[in-house]
Amino acid sequence: MPGYVMHLAVAEEIIKNCNIEDKIVADSLRFGSVIPDFVHNNDKRITHFWSDSNYKDFVRKPDLKAFLKKYDGMLDNTFVFGYYAHLFFDYMYVTEYWKKHFAFYDENMNPTSRYDKVEKVKLLDENVVVLRNDLFSKDMYYGDYDRINDYIVDRFGVTTLDLHPDLIQNLKLIEETNIDYDASNLQDIVNFIGKCKYKGIKPKTEVLKLYELEEMIIFVANKLSTQYKKEVGM
């Protein structure tokens, strides 16, 4: 899934595209765009609307139709729309980006989509096979998030959000989060964003294609901006 900095980058693009100038309204969008990852019990099956049909898959796609069926009439609220933006970006990431760059296999190199069976991953650009645990590690995939964060923050003007009480009350709007969110981890992110400083040199990545991630952030944000404008009658 995209890292939280990329989710915030999408939110910033939507805020810019839709000329959202009120900070509280903008912060609600930012908050919604990351909160699915920060509920206290960390049950992403619930917060990400993973359906029973694909929960056993390695490529777990949010059920966007299920979310829209439940919250379609509330998408003019920026917190709810930010939550939807998070799910939509996740969906695009695993169905478009992952599909283009990764193929998944069991230990005998038989193609598989089962979460509990995937042992090896082919990096399609390099035509190289690596162990699943080696790929999804701080040395490779997850480490790339750390390597690009400063650049993404600078490139898209990602800013901190003020976790004021009125903002937190938005959690009551989405049943899947409830009020029991992980405040300490989210505050850590707010603090982290404030410390990000890009030094002017594009980061080198091990696995992720930075230019494609930039393009995807812009594409997703543009698509969502168009939808948000319709929701609020712009």
Side-chain angles (χ1 to χ4, degrees), residues 61-218:
K61 305 182 293 290
D63 188 339
L64 299 178
K65 290 183 178 179
F67 179 87
L68 290 174
K69 182 178 180 181
K70 189 169 185 178
Y71 295 109
D72 185 39
M74 299 171 62
L75 289 178
D76 58 343
N77 178 286
T78 53
F79 174 75
V80 177
F81 195 85
Y83 198 108
Y84 174 68
H86 182 109
L87 301 184
F88 184 82
F89 191 15
D90 279 1
Y91 183 92
M92 293 295 293
Y93 196 72
V94 297
T95 59
E96 299 294 331
Y97 186 86
W98 273 22
K99 182 178 180 180
K100 180 179 180 181
H101 295 290
F102 305 131
F104 302 104
Y105 299 88
D106 66 15
E107 61 181 354
N108 298 314
M109 285 303 293
N110 299 308
T112 183
S113 61
R114 285 284 301 268
Y115 187 89
D116 60 345
K117 297 296 184 182
V118 172
E119 295 289 340
K120 299 177 182 179
V121 184
K122 178 180 281 189
L123 310 182
L124 298 177
D125 297 283
E126 295 83 4
N127 196 29
V128 171
V129 175
V130 297
L131 294 176
R132 164 184 167 176
N133 290 340
D134 288 343
L135 174 62
F136 293 103
S137 70
K138 280 290 187 179
D139 290 331
M140 299 183 74
Y141 186 91
Y142 293 125
D144 275 352
Y145 285 157
D146 295 332
R147 286 182 273 273
I148 69 175
N149 279 339
D150 286 0
Y151 174 79
I152 295 294
V153 167
D154 181 78
R155 167 72 175 80
F156 293 97
V158 175
T159 187
T160 57
L161 59 154
D162 180 8
L163 298 175
H164 49 76
D166 289 343
L167 187 66
I168 304 306
Q169 290 304 308
N170 282 318
L171 291 171
K172 295 179 180 179
L173 298 173
I174 300 289
E175 181 183 1
E176 286 69 22
T177 61
N178 64 59
I179 203 69
D180 190 21
Y181 79 108
D182 197 331
S184 60
N185 281 346
L186 192 55
Q187 186 61 55
D188 287 344
I189 286 178
V190 172
N191 297 339
F192 172 80
I193 296 297
K195 295 177 182 178
C196 283
K197 291 184 179 180
Y198 175 53
K199 298 178 175 62
I201 301 174
K202 265 197 172 183
K204 293 182 179 180
T205 55
E206 295 293 326
V207 180
L208 298 176
K209 312 301 179 185
L210 181 55
Y211 70 95
E212 287 189 31
L213 296 180
E214 291 181 70
E215 291 176 349
M216 176 164 277
I217 288 169
I218 293 169

